[in-house]
């Protein structure tokens, strides 16, 4: 019995496709299946070879001389053509654009500021500005190491000079502006070489018409006094400001609780203060240092009997959050209460202004024309330590136009033992050729002021005690902007200017400036009037 060998049955192209794909890995199957479908759909019918006998090895085409079952004799096998077709459809021939290398923080090993729990400035904020400083220093420093060191020094100075976060932000911004000013002028030419069109902030914010329109994007740093003194029909210039300021005058009760001097009811030329009296030592030759609290002996001339250094903290006390609760620390060095002082002076000193309340003068009433007012001035004084205590060494008076109308150094009546330059800004050279005394200053101020003249200042009772002047028509910025904890706590003038007007004052390493402080008080009061007027409207 004979058997006929069945002829090979043509297979469907889809089955051939599946056999080819079985030779590929899973990733190629998932990624390139759609390309294979499109390629095989365009091919003609290709019969597949019959299956090999059992136990026989399937021969693979190894030579080009072997007959191909494809439609074109002499061409590559189907698997090779398929893979090459898939590669041509899945790869691109576009070469990537080369980008020139420029130094940046990513290519540098940037320093990291250590985390400080309960610090006055968050570490994240400090790190952000340190990175900005490094970027600016890289533009003009000769090496990366030099840029990093300069940026670290600038950030350290900004942190040490700032008692709070708000002041640190202002100091850091000013430092950033200073560093940008050190960049050479050749840097802007890089934008032309790069082919990019420079677009200003005005165009970005306002569109195409912004370049043709006149407007300002920055808010004025200081309020305009002219808006408050604008003339009205029948009212001369200046009366509007004077009448509005009378709403902010301290009441007699506020004057007493803030320690303002009042005339003594029995002694002419004497003054009385209604605040609680400080404890005085029983021995008249024994005094208490107002900086470190140590008792020390003095001679009849006020000099210290023993040569003893004074270790003290010049910063105020502040409560900071620490691990496990709160801790009271000094703002100057963040040391805890009771720690050794961070500053050293040659000898102990005392305040003394509230102990000798003699030699005071009082402003008096003056007749004025009907269409005029008694005037508005801002006042600030600087004091130094003498053998008597704190005495006046400089006084400055500023008008509503922020113009200095009176400014002079004053020679103290007693010998100076500490010029207190850190806060007063007065040095020994400033008082060498000074012959003006306290009595001369009192005579000038009594001629300038009357009892109805509005005086503006920060903790003005301290200045009036140094001037030995009794005056009750005052606007005190420490009362106008009270501390959240109330008396005896008061906010500093530096913090008020930073919080409300975003300005940094008392930033000079040579000490405070009385003209700067007086102008700052005038700015704050005028800003307060304008803001309250907006609320009323």
């Amino acid at each position: 019995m004979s058997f006929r060998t069945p002829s090979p049955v043509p297979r469907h192209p889809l089955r051939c496709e599946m056999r080819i794909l079985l030779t590929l890995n899973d990733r190629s199957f998932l990624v390139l299946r759609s390309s294979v479908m499109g390629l095989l759909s365009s091919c003609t019918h290709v019969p597949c070879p019959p299956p090999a006998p059992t136990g026989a090895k399937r021969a693979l085409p190894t030579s080009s001389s072997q007959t191909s079952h494809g439609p074109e004799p002499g061409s590559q096998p189907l698997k090779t053509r398929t893979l090459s077709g898939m590669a041509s459809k899945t790869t691109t021939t576009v070469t990537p654009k080369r980008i020139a290398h420029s130094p940046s923080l990513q290519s540098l090993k940037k320093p990291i500021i250590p985390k400080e729990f309960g610090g006055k400035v968050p570490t994240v904020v400090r790190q952000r500005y340190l990175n900005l400083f490094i970027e600016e220093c890289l533009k003009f420093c000769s090496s990366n190491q030099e840029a990093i060191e300069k940026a670290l020094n600038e950030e350290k100075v900004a942190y040490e000079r700032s008692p709070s976060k708000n002041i640190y932000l202002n100091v850091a911004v000013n430092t950033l502006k200073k560093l940008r000013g050190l960049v050479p002028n050749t840097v802007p030419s890089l934008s032309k070489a790069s082919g990019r069109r420079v677009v200003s902030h005005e165009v970005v914010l306002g569109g195409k018409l912004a370049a043709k329109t006149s407007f300002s994007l920055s808010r004025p740093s200081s309020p305009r006094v002219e808006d408050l003194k604008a003339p009205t029909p029948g009212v001369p210039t200046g009366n509007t400001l004077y009448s509005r300021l009378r709403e902010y005058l301290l009441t007699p009760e506020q004057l007493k609780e803030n320690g303002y001097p009042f005339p003594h009811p029995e002694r002419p030329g004497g003054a009385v203060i209604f605040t609680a009296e400080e404890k005085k030592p029983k021995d008249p030759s024994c005094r208490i240092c107002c900086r470190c609290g140590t008792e020390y002996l003095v001679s009849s001339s006020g000099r210290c009997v023993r040569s003893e250094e004074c270790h003290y903290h010049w910063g105020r006390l502040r409560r900071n959050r620490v691990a496990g609760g709160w801790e009271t620390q000094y703002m100057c060095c963040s040391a805890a209460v009771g720690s050794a002082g961070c500053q050293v002076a040659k000898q102990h000193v005392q305040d003394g202004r509230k102990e000798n309340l003699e030699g005071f003068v009082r402003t008096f009433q003056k007749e004025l024309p009907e269409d005029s007012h008694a005037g508005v001035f801002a006042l600030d004084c600087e004091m130094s330590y003498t053998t008597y205590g704190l005495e006046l060494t400089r006084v400055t008076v500023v008008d509503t136009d922020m113009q200095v109308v009176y400014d002079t150094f004053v020679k103290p009546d007693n010998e100076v033992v500490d010029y207190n330059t850190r806060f007063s800004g007065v040095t020994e050279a400033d008082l060498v050729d000074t012959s003006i005394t306290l009595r001369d200053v009192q005579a000038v101020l009594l001629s300038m002021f009357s009892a109805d003249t509005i005086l503006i200042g920060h903790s003005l009772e301290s200045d009036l005690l140094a001037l030995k002047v009794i005056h009750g028509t005052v606007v005190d910025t420490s009362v106008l902007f009270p501390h959240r904890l109330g008396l005896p706590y008061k906010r500093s003038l530096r913090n008020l200017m930073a919080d409300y007007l975003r300005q940094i004052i008392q930033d000079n390493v040579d000490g405070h400036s009385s003209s700067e402080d007086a102008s700052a008080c005038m700015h704050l009061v005028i800003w307060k009037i304008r803001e309250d007027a907006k609320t009323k409207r």
Side-chain angles (χ1 to χ4, degrees), residues 227-430:
D227 297 341
L228 295 173
K229 300 192 300 180
T232 57
V235 180
T237 302
N239 281 359
T240 304
L241 177 61
Y242 182 83
S243 60
R244 292 187 183 181
L245 280 174
R246 293 194 66 87
E247 303 175 4
Y248 300 92
L249 295 178
L250 267 64
T251 62
E253 292 75 15
Q254 290 177 324
L255 292 173
K256 292 181 180 180
E257 66 182 6
N258 283 277
Y260 279 81
F262 281 80
H264 198 280
E266 299 178 357
R267 298 195 312 268
V272 59
I273 300 176
F274 292 93
T275 54
E277 296 183 359
E278 300 179 356
K279 294 182 179 180
K280 300 179 181 179
K282 297 180 180 180
D283 188 357
S285 63
C286 182
R287 297 180 180 177
I288 300 178
C289 180
C290 61
R291 295 188 293 201
C292 65
T294 304
E295 293 186 2
Y296 64 101
L297 298 177
V298 296
S299 61
S300 58
S301 61
R303 290 179 170 272
C304 294
V305 175
R306 294 184 304 173
S307 178
E308 188 175 88
E309 292 183 343
C310 176
H311 298 262
Y312 67 98
H313 294 279
W314 59 265
R316 295 182 179 182
L317 289 174
R318 181 184 60 181
R319 294 187 65 194
N320 292 328
R321 185 185 295 274
V322 296
W326 293 82
E327 184 180 18
T328 303
Q329 299 175 348
Y330 289 99
M331 296 177 60
C332 51
C333 60
S334 300
V337 179
S339 60
C342 59
Q343 299 293 324
V344 181
K346 294 182 179 180
Q347 69 177 61
H348 300 291
V349 292
Q350 67 163 355
D351 191 329
R353 288 175 298 174
K354 297 181 180 180
E355 297 178 2
N356 185 10
L357 299 177
E358 300 295 336
F360 277 74
V361 296
R362 183 179 182 182
T363 56
F364 50 87
Q365 297 287 342
K366 294 181 181 180
E367 294 184 0
L368 300 173
E370 296 180 357
D371 297 337
S372 62
H373 58 87
V376 178
F377 300 97
L379 175 71
D380 188 71
C381 298
E382 304 296 346
M383 291 149 278
S384 301
Y385 291 103
T386 66
T387 55
Y388 162 79
L390 274 177
E391 289 192 47
L392 180 71
T393 51
R394 185 181 180 183
V395 57
T396 304
V397 181
V398 177
D399 61 7
T400 54
D401 294 325
M402 315 300 165
Q403 300 297 323
V404 177
V405 296
Y406 183 63
D407 184 16
T408 182
F409 290 100
V410 184
K411 183 178 181 180
D413 296 336
N414 300 277
E415 179 186 357
V416 178
V417 297
D418 191 340
Y419 287 91
N420 197 26
T421 306
R422 174 188 291 274
F423 296 101
S424 66
V426 179
T427 60
E428 183 179 0
D430 296 330

Side-chain angles (χ1 to χ4, degrees), residues 462-477:
S462 176
D463 302 319
L464 295 180
L465 286 173
L467 291 169
K468 291 185 178 293
V469 173
I470 299 176
H471 186 79
T473 312
V474 298
V475 177
D476 197 332
T477 52

